[in-house]
Structures are given as C-alpha cells and as structure tokens.
Amino acid sequence: MKRLQFIVTGNSFIHLSQLGGLKTKSTSNTGIALTHIVHSGWTKNKSTSVLTFDIVQFSPSLNHCLLTIIIGKTELEPKVALFFADYLVKRKTNYTWNKISSPNFEVNVGVGQGSALSSILSALYLLPFLYILEKHLKNLKITVSFISFVDDGLIIAQNKSMDTSNSQLFCSYNVLSKLLDSFGLVVEHSKTDIFHFNRSHGIFNPLSLNLSVIGGPILRPKDSWKYLGFIFDQKLNFHQHIDFYLNKTISTVKCMKILGNSSRGINPIQKHLLYRCCILPIALYSFQLWFYNKAPLLYHMKILGKMQRRAAI
C-alpha cells in the first residue's frame, strides 16, 4: 500500500483537486485549500459559491475491471499490476445466516472500506473522472474549480455576480451527474448543498439554486455550513465552529470525572496527559483555518481561555 501511494503521488498521476485517500493529505488540507480560495477571491472583489455533492455507496460501487485498467496506467511494474488484477477481478463471496450459507457468486464491484487498500484505490478510481470533467467544462467555457475528498466533492465558482456563479454551478452539476453515471456511480441529491461566502457588511440575501430540472433538489443557502467537520460562516469568522468544539470539549472534561474508582481518582500527571491527548485535539481541530498572521483572534482566544480554566478546575 505504501509503495502504491509513493508511486502515484511521485509521478504526478493524482489530480491536484483530489485531497482524500492519500497518505500525505487530510481533512485539514481540504479546509485550508477552501479558505485560501475564498480569501484569494475576496482580494479580487469576487464572492465564492460552493456546491457540495456526495456519491451514493461509493466504495461498494467501484467497478473492478475499470479499476484494474486505471492501475495499469500508474507506471507500476507489470507483475504488481497483475497482482491487483488477480486480487480484484473474478472475486466470489457468499452470505451466511446461522448455519445456512448461500451459494458462491461472482462480485465484480466494490472495495472493502475496512481494507488498507480501500483509500488509495478509491482515490485512483476517481482520477479519470476528474480529468474528463475538467476537460468537458473547459470545452463548455465554464470556469469553476474542484476539491474532492474521496466521495465528498465541492464545485467552487468565483464571480462578481452571484447569478453567474449559480449558472456555472448548475451546468457543472448537470455535467458531473451524467459523467458519474457513465462510471457506474450516482450522486446522492439529498446531500447536495450550496453555500455563499460574502464579506460585505450590509444585508446579504444569498440566491437559491433550483436543480429540480435535472433531478436534484431546490437548494436554499443557510447562514452556516458544515463540511468534513468544519463549520463555515459567510465571513469565515469561524465563531460557530469554535463554539461547537469548545462545548464538545467541556462535555468531554465532565465525562472524565468518572474515571478512577470509588476510593480515589486519577493523579495529576494522568489528568495532564488526558488533557493533552483527549481535550486539546478536539478544541484545536482545524485551527489552521482560523489561526494565521493578522487574523482577528480576540473571540477565539477568549473562548479557548474559558475552556482551559474550566478544564483546569
């Protein structure tokens, strides 16, 4: 698995927008990339609109034959590519209920989510999709960008007019849905969402997006948006994000009171270790998104200080 990761990342085979399923990438990379795009758009007086999409039953739907062809293009040694072909193609399985077992039958789709190979194989499966989608939209002269964290994807449009952004998102979603269908994958319309970033100080009324014409829902933007555990607001203040995770840390601290037995609790060294290992990672989850040079940190540090005092007490 490590060798496969090294080869596909070393030869620039991975699409730049794919930030999931790779050893050197995480959800934080996705959040940082999105916040950077939004801030760079604001420097050009452009607002940013994002449309999320999720693929139904992604891992169980991967076609083995197509995956084998993709692996063959990764510059792996022929014997390694043949190993994956033998590992994936013509697999058989059966179901057992108590003492009753079904006959064996061939399974030509699906990658086990618990497998060590599932993450990199899932990322590889989406590579041709991302390259083809990028080419299609370029031919249609639709200027959007993408971020893909395995089966959770974003379409990002930046324009001075929100009507233009909505039009680009609508066309991109239509092309994306049809292209995924040709890969044997289906978009889960119920999880599709839209969000607009805007730093204006006046009243902001974000536009809805009607996807019912192409089988999707009518999307109405909200004041906040949760993606991969990050809670975004329109101005990227991250106040709601901080409040959510600080409340979560306080709940965790209260639960830790029950540690120990009825006669004595845990000693101060153990409490310190629990705080460092269990509390701080929750409180500082994705702090890279809001902690940077010249960022307004007064509210964030005030809330963090309250949490630390309560945790110490």
Side-chain angles (χ1 to χ4, degrees), residues 59-108:
S59 293
S61 304
L62 304 188
N63 185 282
H64 293 167
C65 294
L66 177 57
L67 190 54
T68 304
I69 295 172
I70 296 171
I71 291 172
K73 303 290 184 180
T74 58
E75 299 183 6
L76 287 170
E77 294 182 14
K79 59 182 180 182
V80 178
L82 288 173
F83 164 78
F84 278 102
D86 186 62
Y87 172 74
L88 292 169
V89 179
K90 294 183 180 179
R91 300 185 72 180
K92 294 184 178 181
T93 188
N94 68 344
Y95 293 100
T96 301
W97 181 264
N98 292 331
K99 295 182 180 181
I100 303 173
S101 297
S102 68
N104 291 333
F105 55 91
E106 290 190 2
V107 178
N108 59 359

Side-chain angles (χ1 to χ4, degrees), residues 47 49 161-163 166 194-209 219-223 234-235:
S47 61
S49 301
S161 169
M162 199 174 296
D163 289 322
N166 273 14
I194 190 172
F195 191 76
H196 301 285
F197 294 94
N198 188 285
R199 61 174 179 175
S200 62
H201 296 288
I203 299 174
F204 178 58
N205 295 315
L207 299 175
S208 300
L209 181 60
L219 304 177
R220 294 179 174 84
K222 301 176 182 178
D223 294 331
Q234 294 167 353
K235 291 180 171 56

Side-chain angles (χ1 to χ4, degrees), residues 1-9 23 84 116-117 120:
M1 190 269 287
K2 292 182 180 179
R3 183 65 177 172
L4 182 59
Q5 289 260 7
F6 176 78
I7 291 173
V8 298
T9 54
K23 189 176 180 180
F84 278 102
L117 291 169
I120 184 62

Side-chain angles (χ1 to χ4, degrees), residues 113-251:
Q113 289 181 289
S115 170
L117 291 169
S118 63
S119 58
I120 184 62
L121 293 179
S122 300
L124 287 173
Y125 192 85
L126 284 177
L127 284 181
F129 161 75
L130 293 172
Y131 282 112
I132 295 170
L133 178 62
E134 185 180 49
K135 185 177 180 180
H136 280 7
L137 294 178
K138 188 176 180 180
N139 292 336
L140 294 172
K141 297 182 179 180
I142 300 174
T143 308
V144 295
S145 54
F146 295 90
I147 293 179
S148 176
F149 193 83
V150 192
D151 59 332
D152 292 310
L154 291 177
I155 310 172
I156 307 168
Q158 287 186 316
N159 295 281
K160 293 183 179 179
S161 169
M162 199 174 296
D163 289 322
T164 305
S165 295
N166 273 14
S167 177
Q168 291 178 343
L169 293 175
F170 178 89
C171 295
S172 302
Y173 189 78
N174 188 23
V175 174
L176 176 143
S177 300
K178 293 179 180 178
L179 187 58
L180 279 176
D181 187 61
S182 64
F183 277 77
L185 302 172
V186 180
V187 175
E188 191 168 354
H189 295 301
S190 62
K191 291 186 178 180
T192 303
D193 205 356
I194 190 172
F195 191 76
H196 301 285
F197 294 94
N198 188 285
R199 61 174 179 175
S200 62
H201 296 288
I203 299 174
F204 178 58
N205 295 315
L207 299 175
S208 300
L209 181 60
N210 188 356
L211 299 176
S212 59
V213 181
I214 55 177
I218 299 175
L219 304 177
R220 294 179 174 84
K222 301 176 182 178
D223 294 331
S224 62
W225 165 58
K226 191 171 184 177
Y227 178 67
L228 298 179
F230 316 123
I231 302 175
F232 293 95
D233 52 74
Q234 294 167 353
K235 291 180 171 56
L236 285 182
N237 293 322
F238 291 102
H239 290 180
Q240 295 182 41
H241 177 90
I242 290 291
D243 290 340
F244 175 82
Y245 282 99
L246 267 295
N247 288 331
K248 194 172 182 179
T249 57
I250 294 300
S251 300

